[in-house]
Amino acid sequence: MEFSVWAPGHRLVELVLEDGRRLPMRRAERGWWHLSGAETTTYRYAVDGGDPHPDPRSAWQPQGIEGPSGVVDHKGFAWQSVGRLGAKWPPHAIYELHIGTFSPEGTFEGAVKHLDHLVHLGVDAVEVMPVAEASGERGWGYDGVDLWAPHHAYGGPAGLKYFVEQCHVRGLAVIVDVVYNHLGPVGNYLGQFGPYFTDAYKTPWGSAVNMDGAGSYGVREFVIGNALMWLRDYHIDGLRLDAVHAIYDESAVHILEQLASAVDLLSTDLGRPLWLIAENDRNDPRVARARGEHGYGLSACWDDDFHHALHALLTGESHSYYADFGRVAQLAKAFTDGFVYDGSFSEFRQRDQGRSATGLPGSAFVCFLQNHDQVGNRARGERMSQLVGTDLLKVGAALLLLSPFVPMVFQGEEWGASTPFLYFTDHKAPELARAVSDGRRREHPTEGGDEVPDPQDLETFLRSKLDWSEADREPHRSLLEWHRRLIALRRQEPDLAGHNHRLVGTAFDEERRWLVVRRGRCFIAANLADQGQALPLEGATTKSEVLLSSGEDASFEGGRVKLGPRAVAVVAG
């Protein structure tokens, strides 16, 4: 058996077996150490005679972050869905889920039991929040420390492969969320092996990863190797890269560009498409622009502007970054330009924000009405179903799911789940646990006498689990059927399935609060006002008809569609 670890600058590196024996390793080039012939199922590494720690590239942590690393033979899994691999970008719709709260079991196997629901909903890609090994038994996953090991509490490597297999059998592509901008504070031993971190930059969550300083060649190999591992060994279709604006790199070739090139080569080698999607707070279109056009060459980026514009209109909220939004004109701009702030001044940020995305197709933007951040980072994890009525939920769903972008639905959104999605953690170190709880209270001061849920409290996690029985009760059942009909219409109608947002036309009235989006022969007409009104559909013909509406009284006549208050209709002809 071959063991290898990157540990530059050290005089001694040892493989530590479970019985305590230490086997010296052989120094090789560029900071690598190797050992052949040792037979073991679990192990650790020690540098310069110090305490043993898990392998930085551990494929399996059966006892969690402080336990030994486990040996995994990826070739030993008998994949049955190889012939079903190869989903092309873009999917019709993505479904974001968290393994721990998606099912009562909170495991990969438990999640599989609800995959048929997603097929019936009509989505064709599943985006899973981070599954890498992190502190404790529960959490969001963005503080991972063993980035190569699927979380033991979810089912480990075998569980993830089973989940991916069952998704592919049902025609669902799989996207996994990965974090390369920082690591968690507990169980993070990478710095003891090599120069993985740098003080040259700061992130809001911890030490910045060293992408451009001395020794960064090994760190970049670690990151790229990790990404390729998920795609190759677990048959993942794509990766969502968390907060790429906090990946600092002044190299001539940015790590994102290098990563995209490596993924393209792997895609060619495997003979199937592979996706990279970036969370991009800067509204920087270079992320998704082709490398031949001076971009990084990723498949797409998250578009927070679309969410903010739609959320602010539906809820009327104006705190925090919503202060920059709230006008119908901004949502109309999002439909035609992708970004609302594309070089214009942001009052909230007190600086110019973004850059024009001219030339990018609609498929370069992943849009949403809800996601884990926009729900979970609220003080009490309120979903849109707690902020607006069913009528506006249907309006928001139509504008999202019939947009020229790649729409994404957050778990339970499709039936207006009443369960919150809260911020929860399970840190075992008492000081860190207390700091996280205190920090959450400082971030969200007490309002109305109600304490902000403690992230460390088990009940906070349990409250965030979906209640699947809701989907069979009203008004949830009707809202679920509405989402199914919208996604089906998107699939069936060619003018709604396309992603050329430059061919999108919009008309709106700020004072009367209505918006019409034209996509080919189809019009999505949304009345956000509290009273019914007739909306003009410029370009509609006498043969136009209402295909779908959220209100029973919708009708088309004389080039205008009549809608009740807080209603939406799709007209085509």
Side-chain angles (χ1 to χ4, degrees), residues 150-198:
H151 204 289
H152 71 281
Y154 293 161
L160 177 56
K161 289 176 181 178
Y162 172 69
F163 173 79
V164 174
E165 173 105 285
Q166 293 305 310
C167 284
H168 286 163
V169 165
R170 292 164 172 81
L172 297 169
V174 181
I175 304 164
V176 168
D177 205 335
V178 292
V179 184
Y180 297 136
N181 52 63
H182 79 289
L183 274 80
V186 179
N188 178 7
Y189 300 112
L190 289 188
Q192 299 193 28
F193 287 89
Y196 282 91
F197 303 101
T198 176

Side-chain angles (χ1 to χ4, degrees), residues 61 65 202 210 225 296 303 330 346 363 369 395 397 499 515:
Q61 290 295 121
I65 59 176
K202 302 293 182 183
N210 175 25
Y296 297 153
D303 186 354
Q330 292 173 307
S346 160
S363 58
L369 177 55
V395 173
H499 295 88
L515 169 69

Side-chain angles (χ1 to χ4, degrees), residues 423-477:
Y423 179 65
F424 46 85
T425 55
D426 185 32
H427 298 303
K428 303 304 182 183
E431 290 186 4
L432 177 60
R434 185 165 51 253
V436 168
S437 298
D438 291 345
R440 188 68 172 176
R441 283 191 288 269
R442 285 194 301 270
E443 182 181 0
H444 300 286
T446 301
E447 300 174 4
D450 294 328
E451 287 290 336
V452 174
D454 182 355
Q456 282 287 119
D457 188 342
L458 175 61
E459 183 62 24
T460 301
F461 166 69
L462 295 177
R463 287 178 57 200
S464 300
K465 284 182 175 284
L466 289 177
D467 177 3
W468 283 90
S469 68
E470 286 186 326
D472 295 325
R473 304 193 301 267
E474 293 294 351
H476 306 287
R477 182 168 51 195

Side-chain angles (χ1 to χ4, degrees), residues 281-282 341 344-354:
D281 181 63
R282 293 176 180 163
Y341 285 86
S344 49
F345 184 75
S346 160
E347 288 288 346
F348 170 71
R349 300 171 188 266
Q350 283 296 293
R351 61 170 172 79
D352 292 341
Q353 163 74 350

